[in-house]
Amino acid sequence: MAKAITLLESTRPDHRLRADEVLNAILPKSGQSFRLGISGVPGVGKSTFIEALGLYLISKGHRVAVLAIDPSSTVSGGSILGDKTRMEFLSVNEKAFIRPTPSSGNLGGVAEKTREAMLVAEAAGHDVVIVETVGVGQSETAVANMTDMFVLLQLPNAGDDLQAIKKGVMELADLVVINKVDLDPDAATRAQVQIMGSLRLFSMHGNPEHAHHDETLWHPKVIRMSALKSEGITEFWDTVNIFKDIQTKHGHLALRRKQQAQAWMWERIEAGLRQNFKANAQVQKLLPELSEAVNQGTMAASVAARRLLDLMK
Amino acid sequence: MAKAITLLESTRPDHRLRADEVLNAILPKSGQSFRLGISGVPGVGKSTFIEALGLYLISKGHRVAVLAIDPSSTVSGGSILGDKTRMEFLSVNEKAFIRPTPSSGNLGGVAEKTREAMLVAEAAGHDVVIVETVGVGQSETAVANMTDMFVLLQLPNAGDDLQAIKKGVMELADLVVINKVDLDPDAATRAQVQIMGSLRLFSMHGNPEHAHHDETLWHPKVIRMSALKSEGITEFWDTVNIFKDIQTKHGHLALRRKQQAQAWMWERIEAGLRQNFKANAQVQKLLPELSEAVNQGTMAASVAARRLLDLMK
């Protein structure tokens, strides 16, 4: 399994051909898991939460894969997420598979590798795939766009939600979990009330295109837990299952996956077109000059764009 | 002037060549105006505000152009924005030029035509260009990305700001104007306090990439006005001038325009690459089949994308 993923992550052209064969071969066996996206700022307790959840799910007979998207790791050169040392019990459990974030230079590339790793994990029999993200840049959107349910972890700190609202992450959430409730139960209650208010406003005024669920069937819940004390894990998983049943029953789970696959295809097409454009010898020759003319205001941006596009014909 | 804009808006290939010549010819004469973006939901009083501001500016010796971006008009087939009947005094003033939103099928196309119309208006001697938007989809971002200062109009209704925060529009604002203060002065005061609080949080936690101004030099202001009673127009224009002076003095105005021009060029390149891809005969032949395979889950989206991209080589 690790070998297959390494092959998929390779950038060598001959590897890529074999990787596509592998992908097509495993595809019929994939898709059988429930895909859970988990986001939250550093310090919210994601690792502790995922370890507690993973061990709980394994005790219930599941096999769990944990993948990660951390675009910042492509800058630092090493992954801080998915680090096995952060989940000491889950990482040594043979029913669990933990894979750190791949380093592919940009979010689109990282997301692509993570999607493919997810298919491999599913084909290998993992029936719960958790994709975590630390929430740098647009990584929450990437995770929400590859999972069946997107969960946002928040601290028991009223006001913490404004940041999530502002970044558009609250809007993506199918479920909000207030973690570390033991730290300050009163603050957790205030945060819960405030977040429920925000979510209610979203369902009234929200952009239906952004909603990942049908508001008439599911209104995002806000639950409290203490992952450190393993309190609330059962309620969390019960809530996940209620959501899953509703989504499955009304065909929304399949619909969401189809839309995700289409969006993924187009995202990769556009990335490829950009790459081919930048690799074109004539473009490479003319781009600096036209770019400078646009900077200096001696050529309109749209004229420069048309000239460069003409080189591709 | 209207003729030049009509030529620029034409989609005929021979017109496009002449249009590019026109653009290059006017470019040295453009760029001398202050570009003001105005956004606000329907009912906030944008037309009354722009009419009052426009007449005030003309009385001060300025020449004003009003352009509009309303992507929804491309669906309805007719523009509701920039409608001259909404600004009855400004529209008949010879120092003013009002142009409704162009209909070019998508936001990128509409924004392109509006940018080009802005250059024409500047070359014709208009020294204040106002670009208004009703805020459908991503149109506020488009307007913020083509103007020197982005102003958000809000109603005197505490809580109205959450919608703007959620949509990411509050974050774009260099200035927030609470209009129709006469309706409910107390509510306007509450809204002002609340919005100032939100803006303060943004400057503490905001993404510097999103900020259109340097927070150490300018912190977004919140002012109150009643455009209907022509109250607050002078304070508004004074605030605009303070912002303009700060931005000019520190080189941020020129920097913002350079970044906008670069982003515009790349946005048009990507739109062009997409268009060429969709127009490719082989792509048109294979796309429906591969798209369906992706939908059915018999082909990975990334494999389909690579197959289609190979056709472009």
Side-chain angles (χ1 to χ4, degrees):
Chain A
M1 189 167 156
K3 253 186 179 171
I5 293 177
T6 303
L7 176 67
L8 290 168
E9 288 182 1
S10 169
T11 50
R12 270 175 51 182
D14 58 323
H15 283 177
R16 191 64 256 178
L17 281 177
R18 275 186 51 214
D20 279 2
E21 284 169 22
V22 169
L23 266 183
N24 283 338
I26 62 168
L27 209 62
K29 292 171 194 154
S30 71
Q32 304 304 318
S33 83
F34 191 71
R35 302 165 178 176
L36 196 60
I38 309 267
S39 177
V41 294
V44 78
K46 276 193 305 299
S47 304
T48 310
F49 173 76
I50 292 170
E51 169 140 293
L53 176 64
L55 293 171
Y56 170 82
L57 291 174
I58 288 169
S59 79
K60 292 269 178 185
H62 294 285
R63 289 182 60 198
V64 178
V66 180
L67 310 170
I69 289 193
D70 174 18
S72 69
S73 72
T74 62
V75 178
S76 66
S79 169
I80 48 158
L81 270 183
D83 185 334
K84 295 189 178 189
T85 60
R86 291 183 308 125
M87 303 176 194
E88 55 174 330
F89 298 110
L90 193 61
S91 62
V92 295
N93 193 302
E94 58 174 12
K95 296 280 175 66
F97 174 77
I98 300 180
R99 180 91 185 171
T101 192
S103 47
S104 297
N106 62 56
L107 179 58
V110 169
E112 158 128 332
K113 299 307 172 195
T114 304
R115 282 175 184 277
E116 293 181 351
M118 181 162 70
L119 299 177
V120 173
E122 288 176 342
H126 293 279
D127 63 341
V128 178
V129 177
I130 296 170
V131 187
E132 66 160 321
T133 181
V134 74
V136 174
Q138 295 295 306
S139 64
E140 290 107 337
T141 307
V143 170
N145 287 345
M146 68 173 69
T147 51
D148 300 322
M149 181 175 196
F150 185 68
V151 177
L152 177 63
L153 260 61
Q154 292 277 98
L155 288 166
N157 172 8
D160 193 43
D161 57 324
L162 185 68
Q163 190 62 4
I165 294 173
K166 189 177 76 69
K167 283 189 70 191
V169 180
M170 188 69 82
E171 201 170 353
L172 298 170
D174 301 302
L175 176 63
V176 178
V177 174
I178 300 171
N179 194 21
K180 299 192 177 179
V181 162
D182 50 304
L183 286 185
D184 189 341
D186 290 344
T189 303
R190 286 195 300 274
Q192 190 173 19
V193 170
Q194 188 162 335
I195 294 170
M196 286 195 299
S198 302
L199 291 169
R200 206 170 303 122
L201 270 167
F202 283 0
S203 77
M204 284 160 60
H205 302 291
N207 184 343
E209 280 171 42
H210 289 182
H212 284 234
H213 49 258
D214 183 332
E215 278 285 342
T216 59
L217 297 171
W218 175 262
H219 183 68
K221 304 259 177 301
V222 184
I223 64 172
R224 307 150 50 110
M225 77 179 339
S226 169
L228 192 65
K229 299 193 170 181
S230 293
E231 286 171 11
I233 294 284
T234 307
E235 187 196 350
F236 171 79
W237 191 244
D238 288 347
T239 310
V240 168
N241 275 311
I242 293 167
F243 177 77
K244 182 184 169 183
D245 289 347
I246 289 174
Q247 291 284 92
T248 309
K249 189 177 161 196
H250 293 87
H252 287 302
L253 196 134
L255 181 66
R256 183 163 164 163
R257 286 195 177 180
K258 270 187 195 181
Q259 289 168 341
Q260 288 175 343
Q262 284 291 319
W264 180 20
M265 182 180 80
W266 281 106
E267 197 264 322
R268 293 327 295 166
I269 288 171
E270 296 194 358
L273 292 173
R274 252 192 325 267
Q275 206 177 334
N276 293 345
F277 175 79
K278 287 181 178 170
N280 181 288
Q282 281 184 283
V283 168
Q284 287 183 345
K285 216 169 135 189
L286 207 59
L287 181 59
E289 184 190 321
L290 295 194
S291 184
E292 185 54 26
V294 168
N295 267 346
Q296 296 302 325
T298 54
M299 186 182 286
S302 49
V303 175
R306 279 189 285 273
R307 290 238 182 119
L308 290 164
L309 286 166
D310 282 344
L311 301 174
M312 299 292 290
K313 278 177 185 165
Chain B
M1 188 167 157
K3 252 185 178 172
I5 294 178
T6 303
L7 175 67
L8 289 168
E9 288 182 0
S10 170
T11 50
R12 270 175 52 183
D14 57 323
H15 283 178
R16 192 64 256 177
L17 281 177
R18 274 186 52 215
D20 279 3
E21 284 168 23
V22 168
L23 266 182
N24 284 337
I26 62 167
L27 208 62
K29 292 172 195 154
S30 71
Q32 303 305 319
S33 83
F34 191 71
R35 302 166 177 174
L36 196 60
I38 308 268
S39 177
V41 294
V44 77
K46 275 193 305 300
S47 304
T48 310
F49 172 77
I50 292 170
E51 169 140 293
L53 176 63
L55 293 172
Y56 170 82
L57 291 173
I58 287 169
S59 79
K60 293 268 178 186
H62 294 286
R63 289 182 59 199
V64 178
V66 181
L67 310 170
I69 290 194
D70 174 18
S72 70
S73 72
T74 62
V75 178
S76 66
S79 167
I80 47 157
L81 270 183
D83 186 333
K84 296 189 179 189
T85 60
R86 291 182 309 126
M87 302 175 195
E88 52 174 331
F89 298 108
L90 193 61
S91 62
V92 294
N93 192 302
E94 58 174 14
K95 297 279 176 65
F97 175 77
I98 300 180
R99 180 90 186 174
T101 192
S103 47
S104 296
N106 61 57
L107 179 58
V110 169
E112 158 127 332
K113 299 307 173 195
T114 303
R115 280 175 185 276
E116 294 182 349
M118 181 161 70
L119 299 177
V120 173
E122 288 176 341
H126 292 279
D127 63 340
V128 178
V129 178
I130 296 170
V131 187
E132 66 158 323
T133 181
V134 73
V136 173
Q138 295 294 306
S139 63
E140 289 107 338
T141 307
V143 169
N145 287 344
M146 67 173 69
T147 51
D148 301 320
M149 182 176 195
F150 184 69
V151 177
L152 177 63
L153 261 62
Q154 291 277 96
L155 287 166
N157 172 8
D160 193 41
D161 57 325
L162 186 69
Q163 189 65 3
I165 294 172
K166 188 176 77 68
K167 283 188 72 191
V169 181
M170 188 67 82
E171 201 171 354
L172 298 171
D174 300 301
L175 176 64
V176 178
V177 175
I178 301 172
N179 193 22
K180 298 192 178 181
V181 163
D182 51 304
L183 285 185
D184 189 342
D186 290 344
T189 304
R190 286 195 299 273
Q192 191 174 18
V193 170
Q194 189 162 336
I195 293 170
M196 285 195 298
S198 303
L199 290 171
R200 208 169 302 124
L201 271 166
F202 283 1
S203 78
M204 284 160 59
H205 303 292
N207 184 345
E209 281 171 43
H210 289 182
H212 285 234
H213 50 259
D214 183 333
E215 277 286 342
T216 59
L217 298 172
W218 175 263
H219 183 69
K221 304 258 177 303
V222 185
I223 63 173
R224 306 149 52 109
M225 77 178 340
S226 170
L228 192 65
K229 300 193 169 179
S230 294
E231 285 171 11
I233 293 284
T234 307
E235 187 195 350
F236 171 79
W237 190 244
D238 288 347
T239 309
V240 168
N241 274 313
I242 293 168
F243 177 78
K244 183 185 169 182
D245 289 346
I246 290 174
Q247 292 284 91
T248 308
K249 190 179 160 194
H250 293 87
H252 287 302
L253 195 135
L255 182 66
R256 182 163 164 165
R257 285 194 178 179
K258 269 187 196 183
Q259 288 168 342
Q260 288 176 341
Q262 283 293 318
W264 179 20
M265 181 181 81
W266 280 105
E267 196 265 321
R268 293 327 294 165
I269 288 172
E270 296 194 359
L273 292 173
R274 256 193 321 269
Q275 205 177 333
N276 292 346
F277 175 80
K278 287 183 179 170
N280 181 289
Q282 281 183 285
V283 168
Q284 286 182 348
K285 216 170 134 187
L286 206 60
L287 181 58
E289 184 189 319
L290 296 194
S291 183
E292 185 55 25
V294 168
N295 267 346
Q296 296 301 326
T298 54
M299 185 182 287
S302 48
V303 175
R306 279 190 284 273
R307 290 237 181 121
L308 290 164
L309 286 166
D310 282 344
L311 301 174
M312 299 293 289
K313 281 179 183 165

